[in-house]
Amino acid sequence: MPVPPGAPAPPSAGDVLAAADRARGGGDTSRYPGTLTARERLAVLLDADSLVEDGLLAGALPADGVITGVGTVEGRPVAVIAHDFGVKAGSWGELTCEKQIRILERADRDLLPVFYLVDSAGGRLTEQMGFFPGRRGASAIFRLQVALSGRVPQICCLHGPSAAGGAYMPAFTDWVGMVEGRASMFLASPRVAEKVTGERTTEEEMGGARMHAEVSGCGHAVFEEDWQAVAAARLLFTYLPSDWSARPAVGTAREPEEQGWEGVIPEDPVTGYDVTAVIDRLVDGGSFFEIQPDWAPEIVVGLARLEGRVVGLVANQPCVRSGAIHVDSADKAAHFVSWCDAFNVPLVFLQDVPGFMVGVEVERQGIIRHGAKLIAAMSSAEVPKFSVVLRKAYAAGFYAMCAPGFEPRATIALPSAFIGAMGPEASVNAVYARKIAAIDDETERAEFVAARVEEHRAEVNLLRMAEDLVVDTVVATEELRAELAVRLRHADGWTRTAPRRHHLVSPV
């Protein structure tokens, strides 16, 4: 049919193909030297030539600033969202939101894990009515992320800014790896904050990678380069199933990195040591993937393999704050336990805990409330749980680290273990406070306390704990790995209980 005079000619096939090539070329990257483009990041993440992209020609801008589609990671299908900072600073317009909503809807329908490569300045204010208030705006993205939570892994690499409402995209994922010096996350930029509060600060101080990894806990790891964050995300995925109904794949067993145990755990219960030295002797060599190593370091959490089987480790860290559980460490452990339970990862608790931190400051911070979160998460977890008492296990710290009342498959103790409502010295001082105060002679007082401490140790001892079924077995330190491995194998047939309620009411 001839084109009417004056009417624009429809694009030819060549025009359409050229437009597609321009869209694949992405935006202007000349202002951002040293960073990978959005498509280069996807090339690191995905198996070669596996991306099937949607919405390539959306809008007048290249892919409208976001690449969405499905690819594979080691042969497993995944959904991807990758912001292109070279296109309007990766900002979200109406079609940017629509593309992200559509891929998340597919992930929800097809149970696809989602990888987010975030690099966005936030909403495109020139398209406010498109991205902000409506049913298909940014709020729908967050609703879908919440709907996917606990059903499929959601893994985020933060390569640049994640500003304003867009900062919630990383917050709803399971793991956030941030690139130092470029990644940032905040609800309002320093410029906006200064206008509202008068506070003057920098992007790095307000929402940089180190701040979130060490102070806020919103970041899980910090990397120097783009490719390192993506490679870590790809590695993390190997520990997880593709969805909540599956279980992590069993890998090839490897010997631990370290073998000898002599001197690793000091006999003196107040002497600090690095619990990662214990972990290195328990798990398969090179398999420990620590989560949030720089935040609340008095507790160590991470994924590892034990004779090829994936486990989640929750360990007190005696060389930091004596391993006492603080507000942030309770939150850190609670999130990790909940994550492992969601994706069928058995849990191993390594106890060397003096209890929860006490004092005016932590009480005002809500240590009871935060501790309740940890106990609730641990108690609710239905995956096989194993509790190992390395040395001391005192007070409510013993509870929070999966005491027998929370039904671990086994409570295993090393010969150095001591379990009690409090340490012997503290217990004696509490019980005999008046009598101790009444003894004027310093030597006599010390002798009295020492005698009562020995009496306490004789009464509350490991053998009695085993006789009373508090402890299921006592093993030599060098036999602990083998003991855990065989118990994990025996738990392979575990099942969940039938649902009895919607969910618990989480502590505030």
Side-chain angles (χ1 to χ4, degrees):
M1 180 180 296
V3 178
S12 66
D15 293 335
V16 174
L17 292 174
D21 286 340
R22 286 194 297 272
R24 291 191 189 94
D28 177 18
T29 59
S30 61
R31 291 183 296 155
Y32 316 106
T35 66
L36 298 180
T37 67
R39 293 183 184 276
E40 287 170 338
R41 293 165 186 165
L42 285 172
V44 175
L45 173 67
L46 299 174
D47 300 340
D49 301 320
S50 69
L51 176 63
V52 178
E53 187 175 348
D54 296 322
L56 174 64
L57 295 175
L61 301 168
D64 209 60
V66 64
I67 303 162
T68 60
V70 174
T72 61
V73 173
E74 295 193 0
R76 298 160 63 189
V78 301
V80 295
I81 290 173
H83 300 136
D84 187 344
F85 199 73
V87 178
K88 294 278 187 182
S91 59
W92 297 5
E94 181 176 4
L95 294 177
T96 324
C97 285
E98 181 63 24
K99 287 180 66 174
Q100 293 176 99
I101 291 167
R102 287 174 64 189
I103 194 62
L104 292 174
E105 286 173 337
R106 184 184 303 182
D108 184 56
R109 183 177 64 246
D110 296 350
L111 277 183
L112 293 174
V114 186
F115 284 84
Y116 302 82
L117 307 185
V118 176
D119 197 350
S120 171
R124 201 175 295 158
L125 294 180
T126 54
E127 297 184 35
Q128 182 174 151
M129 290 307 295
F131 81 83
F132 177 62
R135 288 180 175 269
R136 304 290 285 187
S139 61
I141 295 172
F142 307 144
R143 175 183 61 80
L144 285 161
Q145 285 189 275
V146 173
L148 287 164
S149 181
R151 296 177 64 231
V152 297
Q154 298 186 84
I155 298 173
C156 174
C157 295
L158 188 48
H159 299 277
S162 182
Y168 283 106
M169 176 171 273
F172 290 126
T173 65
D174 303 322
W175 180 88
V176 182
M178 301 180 71
V179 179
E180 188 166 16
R182 293 195 289 273
S184 60
M185 188 168 22
F186 38 67
L187 295 181
S189 69
R191 184 175 60 181
V192 173
E194 184 179 355
K195 289 287 186 183
V196 175
T197 69
E199 183 180 42
R200 303 188 73 175
T201 186
T202 64
E203 285 192 5
E204 195 65 28
E205 183 181 17
M206 175 176 275
R210 284 289 165 196
M211 191 287 287
H212 282 303
E214 297 173 4
V215 181
S216 77
C218 292
H220 291 75
V222 177
F223 302 92
E224 292 182 1
E225 302 292 344
D226 281 348
W227 70 266
Q228 293 172 328
V230 179
R234 185 179 166 101
L235 174 61
L236 174 61
F237 188 50
T238 65
Y239 291 85
L240 300 170
S242 290
D243 65 73
W244 68 275
S245 66
R247 296 187 180 181
V250 178
T252 303
R254 294 200 300 267
E255 288 297 308
E257 281 187 351
E258 303 290 342
Q259 301 287 339
W261 283 92
E262 186 175 353
V264 172
I265 303 175
E267 290 184 13
D268 180 4
V270 298
T271 299
Y273 65 95
D274 188 349
V275 78
T276 61
V278 173
I279 293 171
D280 287 343
R281 287 160 172 79
L282 284 182
V283 304
D284 295 0
S287 72
F288 183 47
F289 190 108
E290 189 171 356
I291 306 294
Q292 293 178 301
D294 301 320
W295 185 57
E298 64 273 10
I299 205 160
V300 174
V301 301
L303 300 169
R305 293 186 181 274
L306 207 164
E307 289 196 351
R309 286 173 170 78
V310 177
V311 295
L313 296 168
V314 181
N316 306 115
Q317 178 56 290
C319 68
V320 180
R321 294 174 164 182
S322 301
I325 301 172
H326 287 244
V327 168
D328 285 344
S329 46
D331 284 354
K332 173 179 171 177
H335 174 269
F336 180 74
V337 166
S338 178
W339 186 36
C340 287
D341 186 52
F343 294 114
N344 307 313
V345 176
L347 286 159
V348 176
F349 294 83
L350 301 177
Q351 298 204 40
D352 195 338
V353 59
F356 282 85
M357 187 60 189
V358 297
V360 173
E361 183 179 357
V362 291
E363 292 294 355
R364 290 182 177 223
Q365 291 171 349
I367 187 67
I368 297 169
R369 175 164 51 87
H370 292 270
K373 291 181 187 179
L374 171 54
I375 292 173
M378 179 273 301
S379 181
S380 301
E382 293 191 307
V383 293
K385 295 175 287 192
F386 303 89
S387 186
V388 179
V389 184
L390 300 175
R391 195 170 57 169
K392 59 186 177 295
Y394 297 160
F398 178 49
Y399 286 177
M401 294 295 288
C402 201
F406 297 102
E407 300 185 331
R409 294 298 182 100
T411 299
I412 303 166
L414 299 186
S416 53
F418 185 91
I419 301 168
M422 58 179 67
E425 292 80 5
S427 181
V428 166
N429 277 283
V431 173
Y432 297 99
R434 290 185 179 179
K435 192 161 186 177
I436 292 170
I439 301 173
D440 294 327
D441 183 83
E442 202 170 301
T443 302
E444 184 184 349
R445 189 189 314 124
E447 289 174 351
F448 176 83
V449 170
R452 301 293 83 74
V453 167
E454 288 309 307
E455 288 173 3
H456 183 86
R457 288 186 182 278
E459 181 183 3
V460 185
N461 61 71
L462 186 56
L463 183 57
R464 179 174 177 181
M465 291 291 174
E467 289 172 347
D468 290 349
L469 292 179
V470 174
V471 169
D472 291 295
T473 188
V474 180
V475 300
T477 312
E478 59 270 17
E479 295 171 2
L480 180 55
R481 171 180 160 88
E483 181 75 20
L484 284 169
V486 72
R487 288 180 180 274
L488 275 167
R489 289 199 300 272
H490 290 170
D492 275 349
W494 73 274
T495 58
R496 294 186 182 273
T497 58
R500 290 168 291 179
R501 57 182 173 182
H502 297 304
H503 52 72
L504 64 84
V505 178
S506 177
V508 175

